[in-house]
């Protein structure tokens, strides 16, 4: 069983990828724009939780790298 830190790290990594995917779809425009917005809407609570966690633990180098990779 993973540690709490490892589980949170996996969560943040997954939702960072989800956020990046939503952002890329949005930037493509047209029908992909709506798909990107829908993905973001579906995942926004988890994305926000992951981002808040990474902001709290920036002294951890691995977590800090995720925090800085979050699109703004």
């Amino acid at each position: 069983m993973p540690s709490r830190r490892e589980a949170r790290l996996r969560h943040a990594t997954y939702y960072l990828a989800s956020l990046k995917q939503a952002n890329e779809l949005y930037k493509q425009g047209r029908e992909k724009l709506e798909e990107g917005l829908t993905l973001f809407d579906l995942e926004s609570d988890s994305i926000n939780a992951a981002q808040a966690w990474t902001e709290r633990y920036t002294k951890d180098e691995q977590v800090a790298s995720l925090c800085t990779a979050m699109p703004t």
Side-chain angles (χ1 to χ4, degrees):
M1 180 193 269
S3 68
R4 176 172 273 202
R5 178 196 171 275
E6 183 61 33
R8 294 267 189 168
L9 192 57
R10 288 179 188 178
H11 177 269
T13 300
Y14 178 86
Y15 285 104
L16 170 60
S18 183
L19 178 57
K20 286 181 176 182
Q21 181 183 9
N23 193 43
E24 286 304 312
L25 290 167
Y26 178 82
K27 290 191 306 186
Q28 289 177 29
R30 301 184 191 262
E31 64 276 349
K32 295 293 184 179
L33 183 143
E34 185 68 32
E35 190 178 335
L37 289 173
T38 299
L39 177 59
F40 179 78
D41 286 345
L42 290 171
E43 308 286 25
S44 64
D45 289 342
S46 294
I47 290 168
N48 289 334
Q51 187 171 17
W53 179 77
T54 63
E55 288 173 359
R56 283 194 308 270
Y57 294 98
T58 55
K59 290 184 181 185
D60 180 314
E61 190 174 318
Q62 200 172 10
V63 176
S65 69
L66 285 176
C67 186
T68 58
M70 294 272 183
T72 57

